[in-house]
Amino acid sequence: QSALTQPPSASGSPGQSVTISCTGTSGDIGGYNFVSWYQQRPDKVPKLIIYEVTKRPSGVPDRFSGSKSGNTASLTVSGLQPDDEADYYCCSYGGNNNLVFGGGTKLTVL
Amino acid sequence: VQVWESGGGSVHPGGSLRLSCSTSGITFNSYAMNWVRQAPGKGLEWVSTINGFGDRTNYADSVRGRFTISRDNSKNTLFLQMNSLRSEDTAMYFCVTGVTVSRVLSRLNDWGHGTLVTVPS
């Protein structure tokens, strides 16, 4: 149950796009299409923004998109807005109904 | 959907606590239920999951053998019994609904606001 690897920080200017990577192994990200992403604004509760690699829950803007290649998943935020400034966590099913999170990426909107 | 936790507090190392979680707005026994924790200033850590029937449980290595997850579907309530607590268990504990797809835990949907557990070192 090793944590997934995310960059600690990312940044972009309003209107730009930024991509956050999340690297695991064949036992988690590479083995299943059950990658999810969570947004946690300062002092707020985490919120699901992407599930099953590419799907968005109702109400999440299509500026948020997810993808996966091999053992690495990615979250892309397009058309950055100040409100997107938050911590972002990836999460993958790891087999046997276990979940594993990434360490989190702090996104700064410059 | 509303999810809310209770039972947190400060406990000495080696002590025990029992967390509870209640929900409304969902058919409780249709959801796997989960505990996720977040140490102060740190990231999210999955702790435990229980299926809708309550007959299958899973634990992170860091808590296995010390924590026990359970549920009472007649009362729409989830529990986490925490024994042999350590300073590294200090965290906000979130109760979260889980959606399963073909018995695989796909995602964590609705989060409570958390209950703080503090174990002084």
Side-chain angles (χ1 to χ4, degrees):
Chain A
Q1 295 178 350
S2 298
L4 306 175
T5 301
Q6 296 182 236
S9 63
S11 63
S13 299
Q16 288 186 333
S17 294
V18 63
T19 297
I20 298 170
S21 64
C22 172
T23 301
T25 69
S26 59
D28 38 64
I29 290 177
Y32 307 94
N33 287 321
F34 290 107
V35 177
S36 51
W37 290 87
Y38 302 85
Q39 177 193 63
Q40 187 177 29
R41 293 190 174 104
D43 298 320
K44 298 295 185 184
V45 171
K47 172 189 172 184
L48 175 69
I49 57 171
I50 295 288
Y51 67 98
E52 292 172 22
V53 180
T54 62
K55 299 177 182 178
R56 278 188 311 277
S58 173
V60 174
D62 59 6
R63 300 186 298 102
F64 293 89
S65 62
S67 63
K68 189 187 89 165
S69 177
N71 297 338
T72 298
S74 298
L75 172 72
T76 298
V77 186
S78 305
L80 271 175
Q81 298 181 0
D83 199 38
D84 297 332
E85 192 158 285
D87 294 326
Y88 291 84
Y89 295 91
C90 61
C91 180
S92 175
Y93 181 72
N96 198 26
N97 256 2
N98 292 337
L99 293 179
V100 59
F101 280 97
T105 298
K106 183 177 182 61
L107 175 61
T108 300
V109 181
L110 302 170
Chain B
V1 178
Q2 289 189 314
V3 180
W4 64 97
E5 306 89 343
S6 61
S10 183
V11 59
H12 293 299
S16 298
L17 271 180
R18 190 192 198 202
L19 307 184
S20 299
C21 168
S22 297
T23 70
S24 65
I26 60 170
T27 303
F28 185 70
N29 61 11
S30 295
Y31 287 83
M33 293 299 296
N34 308 268
W35 290 99
V36 175
R37 68 185 181 183
Q38 187 169 33
K42 303 295 185 182
L44 302 173
E45 179 188 15
W46 170 77
V47 173
S48 184
T49 295
I50 187 168
N51 69 341
F53 291 113
D55 60 349
R56 284 195 302 141
T57 58
N58 295 88
Y59 299 92
D61 290 344
S62 57
V63 307
R64 186 176 293 112
R66 300 187 298 122
F67 290 10
T68 302
I69 191 171
S70 62
R71 64 192 296 162
D72 183 341
N73 284 346
S74 70
K75 297 180 179 179
N76 289 0
T77 304
L78 174 74
F79 303 100
L80 185 68
Q81 178 66 45
M82 303 187 296
N83 298 331
S84 303
L85 282 161
R86 306 165 179 168
S87 58
E88 54 264 38
D89 295 318
T90 293
M92 184 71 78
Y93 284 73
F94 296 102
C95 171
V96 197
T97 66
V99 176
T100 56
V101 175
S102 300
R103 300 182 67 183
V104 171
L105 188 55
S106 161
R107 59 196 182 268
L108 302 172
N109 251 15
D110 304 295
W111 297 64
H113 282 82
T115 187
L116 183 62
V117 172
T118 303
V119 187
S121 55

